[in-house]
C-alpha cells in the first residue's frame, strides 16, 4: 500500500513531457517549430505576446523568440535562418512548471536536421554540341570556386574511346533561366522572404545559379553528360554536396546531308533541295 502511495505521488507531481513539432523535415529557412504541452502553461493574457525564449536551449546556438499560440502551444520563432546541412538538438530547460505549478517532465527530443546543400533544378540551354546547362542551387555559390568540379564526359564504347572536355563556369543571369517560374531563392533569401527580383542587391545576377559550358564544342560522340564531382561547396564554404552526379546531354552526331533532289518549276528557275540531319544556323 505504501509503494502504491509513493507511485501515485510521483505521477501527480509531474506533467507529461511536451512534444516538439516542426512544420518540415528536414528543416528549411521557412520552417516553424511548436512545443505542445498537455496542460495550460500560461494565462490567457500571455497568448499572442512575443517573448524571449526561456523554454529550450538549442545546440548549436540558434536564437529564437517565443510566441504562445494558445495556453499550451508555444511557437518558436527563429531570428535567423538555420545553417544549411546542419543539425540541432533542442533541450527543454529543467524546472519548467505549468500554470498550476506542477513540474513538466523533461523529454528527450530527436535531433532535427536541416536541408542539405543541393542542386534544386537544372535547365538545358543551347544545342547538344555546345552542352550548356544552368544549375540552380538552394544556397549561394561562387561560379569560380565550383568550376573545377565540373567536366563533360563521353564514355568508352565499342565504337569510340572515352572523351573529356573541360568546363567553364559563370554566374547565371535571369536571361539564362528563360522564365522566373524555374527560379528558387537561395537559403538566406528564403528566410528573409525576398519575393521580387527587384528587392535583391543585384537583380540581374543569380547568386545561387551558375552556367556550365564546355570550353570548346563537344566533338562527335555518344552519351555526353555533364559530370559533377563530389565536394561542390556553397559560397560560405559551410556545406558541400558530397555525392557525385551526372546530367545527361545526349549524342553529338556527324553533320550530314540526308537527301538531295532537283526541282523544276514551269517558267521558273531550277532548284536543288538539300536536306541535312541537323538544323542550320538562322543567319546562314
Amino acid at each position: 500500500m505504501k509503494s502504491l502511495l509513493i507511485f501515485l505521488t510521483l505521477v501527480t507531481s509531474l506533467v507529461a513531457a511536451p512534444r516538439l513539432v516542426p512544420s518540415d523535415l528536414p528543416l528549411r529557412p521557412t520552417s516553424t517549430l511548436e512545443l505542445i504541452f498537455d496542460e495550460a502553461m500560461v494565462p490567457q493574457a500571455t497568448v499572442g505576446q512575443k517573448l524571449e525564449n526561456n523554454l529550450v536551449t538549442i545546440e548549436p546556438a540558434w536564437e529564437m523568440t517565443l510566441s504562445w499560440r494558445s495556453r499550451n502551444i508555444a511557437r518558436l520563432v527563429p531570428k535567423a535562418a538555420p545553417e544549411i546541412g546542419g543539425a540541432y538538438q533542442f533541450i527543454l530547460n529543467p524546472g519548467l512548471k505549468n500554470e498550476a505549478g506542477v513540474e513538466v517532465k523533461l523529454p528527450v527530443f530527436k535531433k532535427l536536421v536541416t536541408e542539405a546543400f543541393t542542386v534544386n533544378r537544372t535547365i538545358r540551354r543551347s544545342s547538344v554540341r555546345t552542352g550548356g546547362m544552368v544549375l540552380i542551387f538552394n544556397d549561394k555559390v561562387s561560379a569560380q570556386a565550383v568550376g573545377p568540379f565540373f567536366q563533360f564526359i563521353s564514355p568508352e564504347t565499342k565504337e569510340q574511346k572515352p572523351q573529356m572536355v573541360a568546363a567553364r563556369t559563370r554566374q547565371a543571369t535571369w536571361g539564362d533561366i528563360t522564365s522566373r517560374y524555374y527560379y528558387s531563392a537561395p537559403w538566406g533569401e528564403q528566410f528573409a522572404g525576398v519575393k521580387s527580383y527587384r528587392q535583391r542587391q543585384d537583380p540581374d545576377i543569380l547568386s545561387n545559379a551558375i552556367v556550365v559550358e564546355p570550353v570548346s564544342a563537344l566533338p562527335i560522340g555518344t552519351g555526353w553528360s555533364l559530370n559533377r564531382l563530389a565536394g561542390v561547396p556553397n559560397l560560405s564554404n559551410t556545406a558541400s554536396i558530397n555525392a557525385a552526379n551526372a546530367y545527361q546531354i545526349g549524342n553529338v552526331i556527324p553533320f550530314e546531308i540526308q537527301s538531295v533532289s532537283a526541282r523544276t518549276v514551269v517558267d521558273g528557275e531550277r532548284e536543288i533541295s538539300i536536306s541535312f540531319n541537323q538544323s542550320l544556323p538562322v543567319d546562314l
Side-chain angles (χ1 to χ4, degrees):
M1 185 67 177
K2 186 177 179 181
S3 299
L4 179 61
L5 289 174
I6 293 174
F7 174 75
L8 291 174
T9 301
L10 290 172
V11 170
T12 55
S13 63
L14 288 175
V15 176
R19 303 181 303 278
L20 178 63
V21 182
S23 61
D24 307 289
L25 279 179
L27 296 175
R28 297 173 52 81
T30 54
S31 297
T32 59
L33 301 103
E34 291 185 340
L35 277 168
I36 302 177
F37 298 84
D38 285 346
E39 304 287 341
M41 298 295 294
V42 294
Q44 186 62 39
T46 305
V47 175
Q49 293 185 20
K50 187 176 181 180
L51 308 168
E52 288 301 315
N53 169 31
N54 63 348
L55 295 182
V56 293
T57 299
I58 307 170
E59 298 175 353
W62 185 11
E63 288 192 70
M64 295 194 178
T65 57
L66 187 68
S67 177
W68 286 94
R69 195 162 62 85
S70 66
R71 296 176 66 191
N72 69 313
I73 301 177
R75 174 166 290 177
L76 298 169
V77 183
K79 292 183 178 181
E83 288 291 332
I84 190 169
Y88 291 88
Q89 182 67 60
F90 288 72
I91 304 168
L92 192 70
N93 293 333
L96 189 64
K97 296 181 179 180
N98 68 2
E99 192 180 14
V102 181
E103 189 171 334
V104 177
K105 181 180 179 181
L106 290 177
V108 178
F109 297 127
K110 289 184 178 180
K111 187 173 287 189
L112 299 181
V113 298
T114 61
E115 185 178 82
F117 177 51
T118 188
V119 176
N120 273 349
R121 187 186 292 272
T122 60
I123 304 171
R124 284 280 303 275
R125 61 189 305 274
S126 65
S127 67
V128 173
R129 191 154 190 252
T130 54
M133 186 168 289
V134 180
L135 279 72
I136 302 177
F137 298 80
N138 62 344
D139 197 15
K140 294 181 179 180
V141 292
S142 163
Q144 182 177 2
V146 303
F149 293 88
F150 292 94
Q151 56 192 7
F152 292 85
I153 298 291
S154 177
E156 182 177 10
T157 67
K158 292 180 179 179
E159 293 77 23
Q160 67 174 33
K161 294 181 179 180
Q163 301 180 85
M164 184 181 73
V165 175
R168 62 187 175 202
T169 56
R170 62 174 175 82
Q171 217 70 37
T173 66
W174 285 107
D176 292 312
I177 64 173
T178 67
S179 171
R180 294 192 183 98
Y181 170 80
Y182 300 116
Y183 180 69
S184 56
W187 195 257
E189 289 185 9
Q190 292 179 45
F191 177 80
V194 177
K195 297 180 179 179
S196 170
Y197 73 97
R198 294 183 180 88
Q199 295 176 263
R200 297 180 173 87
Q201 292 183 347
D202 190 339
D204 295 324
I205 299 297
L206 302 182
S207 60
N208 63 321
I210 61 170
V211 176
V212 186
E213 301 167 314
V215 294
S216 59
L218 299 179
I220 294 169
T222 59
W224 279 103
S225 64
L226 170 60
N227 283 27
R228 188 196 72 214
L229 304 179
V232 175
N234 63 351
L235 180 64
S236 58
N237 208 29
T238 57
S240 61
I241 302 176
N242 296 323
N245 199 3
Y247 307 99
Q248 299 304 313
I249 295 174
N251 303 329
V252 177
I253 59 177
F255 183 58
E256 297 175 341
I257 296 174
Q258 288 185 319
S259 64
V260 178
S261 59
R263 293 189 352 170
T264 303
V265 181
V266 178
D267 296 330
E269 296 181 352
R270 296 177 180 179
E271 296 180 353
I272 295 178
S273 177
I274 304 175
S275 297
F276 298 90
N277 63 342
Q278 298 178 51
S279 300
L280 296 174
V282 295
D283 56 350
L284 182 64

